[in-house]
Amino acid sequence: MGRYRLIRAVREIREQLVQSDLVDCIVMLPTQLFYNTGISACLWFLSRYKNGNKNRDRKGEVLFIDASELGYRTHLTSIPETKSLAASWFYPC
């Protein structure tokens, strides 16, 4: 499979996930988080039950979290405040 066909196939898969209302949250991670690449990465959280509890009802919505400035490779996992901040965005009280 050629590179452009692969890129198009990945895009179509992502579109289907969003159109099917399966994407609950997308988190943009800092650049250079992984040793072998300098590009940023995103985490996609999928859910079939987006109205999972009474505190949140995100049917037809996608939560986007920009965590690109929250740390870098050697310190991201050692900052407890960063983890609790990101968790508070996803699970508001």
Side-chain angles (χ1 to χ4, degrees):
M1 180 179 277
R3 180 174 186 224
Y4 295 107
R5 287 181 59 193
L6 178 63
I7 291 171
R8 185 175 19 168
V10 169
R11 187 188 76 219
E12 289 174 2
I13 291 170
R14 290 178 179 168
E15 285 177 3
Q16 285 293 330
L17 288 171
V18 172
Q19 290 172 358
S20 299
D21 200 26
L22 295 174
V23 181
D24 195 13
C25 178
I26 298 175
V27 180
M28 184 175 154
L29 299 175
T31 58
Q32 298 180 349
L33 186 61
F34 303 104
Y35 289 103
N36 58 349
T37 182
I39 62 171
S40 61
C42 292
L43 299 176
W44 286 52
F45 293 89
L46 307 178
S47 176
R48 289 191 176 136
Y49 309 103
K50 290 175 73 173
N51 61 344
N53 62 42
K54 59 185 172 191
N55 295 325
R56 64 184 183 106
D57 183 12
R58 292 198 195 117
K59 282 190 175 182
E61 298 178 353
V62 177
L63 176 64
F64 291 95
I65 298 176
D66 183 359
S68 61
E69 300 297 324
L70 290 181
Y72 50 94
R73 177 182 13 205
T74 58
H75 295 294
L76 185 64
T77 58
S78 64
I79 303 173
E81 300 84 27
T82 301
K83 294 176 184 177
S84 62
L85 178 64
S88 71
W89 290 334
F90 193 69
Y91 296 108
C93 294

